[in-house]
């Protein structure tokens, strides 16, 4: 049984922690609104980019002369997985869910006897994956010192992927990130960047959009495909930013509530122990008085 002094110190410590978690929840809530707005604004742009590339690819008469970023190498032996996580913790299962999604894909690739290469973007993902997949990690990127990740950083990551592809380092590239749905729910995503996956047209669409291109499709794609990779990575950054703040807000809210419950339990224990100590002292005084 802890002493009254120990219980007092424990209550004080938990209350201090509660103040920190409450402050972190408020900061996350303030950042979430802006991050959510950015993520929602970025979705139509990236989706439209996909649609344009699909239309361009359909207009190509000779697939063998199409850009390699569009059709790939024609093989499926080496897979590059770009795992995009946060550089900071205390955000619930945000990083773990992305890594879990990626790990299931890793195991599938390795069981099929294919070559796996991993590029981690975010220190937390690297920390989790290096325990079991350290031999497959070819590089790690971190933006820990930056307050906000911009399109320039997404372009740098995209250029790195393109350089690896031009050096014949992989055949298929996929990125893993969290898509923001709401404060409570963030959905782990697996998106293929190279080669471009065909977008299945929805059956309920009444009409399709047709484009006339000037200059030729190949010339446009050679310029557009690298930008598309950077755009999709930047979209993943925006989705991750909103998901991270939403997950942190939920985690800190739960931590604040748990701290409050723990303070209540410790206070009850403290009061009972204090009352027991007072009762014991009274009994000793009365017993001593009666013995005289």
């Amino acid at each position: 049984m802890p002493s009254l002094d120990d219980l007092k110190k424990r209550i004080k410590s938990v209350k201090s922690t509660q103040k920190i978690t409450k402050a972190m929840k408020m900061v996350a809530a303030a950042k979430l609104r802006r991050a959510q707005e950015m993520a929602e604004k970025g979705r139509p742009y990236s989706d439209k980019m996909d649609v344009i590339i699909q239309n361009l690819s359909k207009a190509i008469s000779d697939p063998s002369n199409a850009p390699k970023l569009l059709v790939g190498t024609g093989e499926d032996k080496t897979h590059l997985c770009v795992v995009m996580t946060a550089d900071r913790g205390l955000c619930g299962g945000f990083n773990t869910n992305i890594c879990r999604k990626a790990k299931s894909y890793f195991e599938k690739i390795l069981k099929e006897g294919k070559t796996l290469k991993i590029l981690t973007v975010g220190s937390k993902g690297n920390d989790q994956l290096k325990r079991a997949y350290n031999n497959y990690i070819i590089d790690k990127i971190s933006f820990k010192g930056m307050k906000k990740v911009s399109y320039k950083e997404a372009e740098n990551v995209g250029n790195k992927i393109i350089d690896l592809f031009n050096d014949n380092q992989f055949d298929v590239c996929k990125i893993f990130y969290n898509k923001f749905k709401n404060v409570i729910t963030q959905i782990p995503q697996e998106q293929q960047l190279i080669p471009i996956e065909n977008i299945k047209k929805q059956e309920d669409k009444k009409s399709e959009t047709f484009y006339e291109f000037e200059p030729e499709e190949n010339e446009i794609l050679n310029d557009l495909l690298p930008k598309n990779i950077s755009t999709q990575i930047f979209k993943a950054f925006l989705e991750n930013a909103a998901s991270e703040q939403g997950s942190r807000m939920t985690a800190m809210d739960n931590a604040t509530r748990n701290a409050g419950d723990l303070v209540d339990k410790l206070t009850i224990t403290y009061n009972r122990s204090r009352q027991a100590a007072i009762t014991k002292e009274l009994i000793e005084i009365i017993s001593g008085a009666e013995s005289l």
Side-chain angles (χ1 to χ4, degrees):
M1 187 71 180
S3 65
L4 291 175
D5 192 46
D6 291 337
L7 286 171
K8 211 173 198 179
K9 289 179 180 177
R10 183 76 190 281
I11 291 170
K12 185 179 179 181
S13 175
V14 174
K15 283 183 176 179
S16 298
T17 303
Q18 187 182 30
K19 289 179 181 178
I20 295 171
T21 56
K22 189 175 181 180
M24 290 185 69
K25 174 194 168 185
M26 293 174 68
V27 171
K31 291 182 177 180
L32 174 62
R33 181 177 295 180
R34 176 63 176 166
Q36 182 179 352
E37 183 181 338
M38 293 287 289
E40 290 174 349
K41 285 183 177 179
R43 289 172 189 169
Y45 185 83
S46 60
D47 292 343
K48 194 66 176 178
M49 180 81 81
D50 278 334
V51 172
I52 292 173
I53 289 176
Q54 289 295 323
N55 278 277
L56 283 165
S57 62
K58 287 178 182 178
I60 294 176
S61 56
D62 186 8
S64 61
N65 293 327
K68 292 296 183 182
L69 288 175
L70 179 68
V71 297
T73 60
E75 297 183 348
D76 189 29
K77 295 179 180 178
T78 306
H79 287 241
L80 175 66
C81 298
V82 183
V83 184
M84 306 178 67
T85 58
D87 285 305
R88 296 174 180 84
L90 296 175
C91 49
F94 169 77
N95 296 306
T96 303
N97 292 337
I98 297 174
C99 292
R100 187 183 294 117
K101 178 81 173 177
K103 285 177 182 178
S104 64
Y105 183 76
F106 297 165
E107 294 302 321
K108 176 186 173 185
I109 292 300
L110 294 174
K111 284 181 181 179
E112 293 174 356
K114 299 175 182 177
T115 304
L116 172 65
K117 294 183 179 181
I118 303 172
L119 173 64
T120 60
V121 182
S123 58
K124 292 300 177 181
N126 182 71
D127 292 342
Q128 291 192 32
L129 294 175
K130 69 181 181 181
R131 300 168 190 168
Y133 301 95
N134 191 46
N135 294 333
Y136 302 101
I137 298 175
I138 61 173
D139 200 359
K140 56 183 180 180
I141 300 172
S142 176
F143 301 108
K144 200 168 187 178
M146 301 184 63
K147 292 183 178 180
K148 184 180 179 182
V149 179
S150 64
Y151 182 80
K152 182 180 179 182
E153 283 69 44
E155 196 172 31
N156 291 338
V157 176
N159 290 337
K160 187 172 188 63
I161 293 172
I162 293 171
D163 290 341
L164 290 171
F165 181 73
N166 292 334
D167 292 339
N168 299 317
Q169 295 292 317
F170 65 88
D171 302 312
V172 178
C173 176
K174 290 195 175 187
I175 59 173
F176 297 85
Y177 62 96
N178 261 338
K179 183 178 180 181
F180 179 81
K181 184 176 181 181
N182 52 50
V183 176
I184 300 174
T185 308
Q186 299 86 35
I187 307 169
Q189 299 292 306
E190 172 190 320
Q191 181 180 348
Q192 184 166 305
L193 292 183
I194 303 173
I196 299 294
E197 285 185 313
N198 291 327
I199 300 175
K200 296 181 180 179
K201 297 295 182 181
Q202 297 179 1
E203 296 180 359
D204 58 348
K205 282 191 175 180
K206 296 181 179 179
S207 62
E208 294 184 357
T209 305
F210 296 94
Y211 299 92
E212 290 185 2
F213 300 105
E214 181 72 26
E216 293 297 322
E217 289 82 4
N218 283 357
E219 189 176 344
I220 299 174
L221 282 170
N222 285 330
D223 184 59
L224 199 61
L225 285 169
K227 291 182 180 179
N228 177 61
I229 291 174
S230 299
T231 299
Q232 300 305 323
I233 291 172
F234 186 54
K235 179 195 74 173
F237 275 136
L238 295 177
E239 295 285 352
N240 264 1
S243 299
E244 180 186 352
Q245 298 303 331
S247 183
R248 179 172 287 115
M249 180 180 170
T250 303
M252 292 301 102
D253 181 53
N254 292 334
T256 303
R257 292 182 183 179
N258 291 338
D261 294 340
L262 184 57
V263 167
D264 292 341
K265 290 179 181 178
L266 289 171
T267 302
I268 291 172
T269 303
Y270 174 81
N271 290 336
R272 286 177 178 173
S273 299
R274 182 170 174 271
Q275 187 62 47
I278 293 171
T279 305
K280 183 180 179 182
E281 289 177 3
L282 288 173
I283 292 172
E284 289 176 352
I285 291 170
I286 294 170
S287 299
E290 290 179 350
S291 64
L292 295 176

